[in-house]
Amino acid sequence: MTSPFQNIAPRYAALWSDTRRGRAQRAQVWREIDSLFHRGDRILDLGCGTGDDAVHLISRGVEVLGIDSAPGMVEIARTRGVDAKQMPIENLGSLPAEFDGAISNFGALNCVADLDELSAALARLVRPRGKLALCVMSRFCWRNAFVSKDWRHLLPRWSGHTVWRGVDIYYRSARSIARTFARHFEAGRTVSIGEGDHQLLVFTRRTEC
């Protein structure tokens, strides 16, 4: 079965990146992460999509390696000058290089079943005191519920798991993600993105783990 992310790759900009909401939320994420990564740093972009975040960071002098499981996403990212590799996040452990940090934006990690394994892989790849900036779809979106007055579309989030177009989606609280990463990373700030449907979690790689 073809990945739904492969199918939407040609339309991703129109569906999200170029929308008013998409631009606003991505700009909010950038304001939070720009202070984490500096010119000359080398970082990993997990689920890089069509390369929006990578292009932004590259413009600031940051070297980026993007990975994504959808070849269509990778192809578009490459046309934009991104060093992108087709690879599922679950295969991250096969990368040999060391990075100054890593990012993952807009829910790519919601498609990963085992965050314990991911945390261990990132601990090997990210240098001590390196930063992680992980933007995930929130499990609880009370603001959206009260605004829309329709709670039904939020029930899959509250259950913690749903299936979207054949893909397992996992919704976790910020606290549970912090617990999962605690062995290898110190939890920093957590920022609500947009209307609370996403949360950005910042971590620092422990010196010893």
Side-chain angles (χ1 to χ4, degrees), residues 5-122:
F5 301 106
Q6 172 68 9
N7 292 333
I8 68 173
R11 299 179 292 126
Y12 183 74
L15 292 172
W16 177 247
S17 293
D18 291 343
T19 66
R20 181 178 179 180
R21 181 184 177 196
R23 289 195 301 268
Q25 292 196 20
R26 200 176 293 276
Q28 186 182 0
V29 171
W30 289 348
R31 287 194 296 271
E32 296 294 333
I33 70 173
D34 280 351
S35 63
L36 302 179
F37 308 112
H38 309 285
R39 181 174 296 274
D41 283 350
R42 185 167 190 261
I43 74 159
L44 186 61
D45 185 354
L46 308 175
C48 66
T50 57
D52 294 283
D53 299 308
V55 169
H56 170 76
L57 289 166
I58 291 168
S59 73
R60 296 174 56 82
V62 178
E63 182 181 348
V64 181
L65 173 63
I67 67 167
D68 201 286
S69 62
M73 294 286 195
V74 170
E75 182 179 352
I76 294 171
R78 287 174 176 169
T79 66
R80 303 176 70 189
V82 178
D83 180 9
K85 181 180 180 68
Q86 184 187 350
M87 172 187 288
I89 293 175
E90 290 83 355
N91 293 354
L92 187 63
S94 65
L95 290 178
E98 184 176 84
F99 295 85
D100 296 296
I103 66 169
S104 183
N105 208 356
F106 295 130
L109 297 192
N110 291 86
C111 302
V112 177
D114 190 344
L115 291 189
D116 281 302
E117 184 176 337
L118 175 64
S119 175
L122 286 171

Side-chain angles (χ1 to χ4, degrees), residues 92-161:
L92 187 63
S94 65
L95 290 178
E98 184 176 84
F99 295 85
D100 296 296
I103 66 169
S104 183
N105 208 356
F106 295 130
L109 297 192
N110 291 86
C111 302
V112 177
D114 190 344
L115 291 189
D116 281 302
E117 184 176 337
L118 175 64
S119 175
L122 286 171
R124 182 181 66 81
L125 292 171
V126 175
R127 65 170 175 78
R129 309 310 299 170
K131 303 294 186 181
L132 301 183
L134 311 178
C135 185
V136 298
M137 292 184 288
S138 308
R139 184 172 184 181
F140 303 108
C141 308
W142 299 110
R143 185 184 306 176
N144 280 356
F146 286 115
V147 168
S148 69
K149 298 182 180 179
D150 181 3
W151 295 41
R152 290 172 297 176
H153 70 287
L154 296 176
L155 292 178
R157 287 180 179 249
W158 295 342
S159 74
H161 174 261

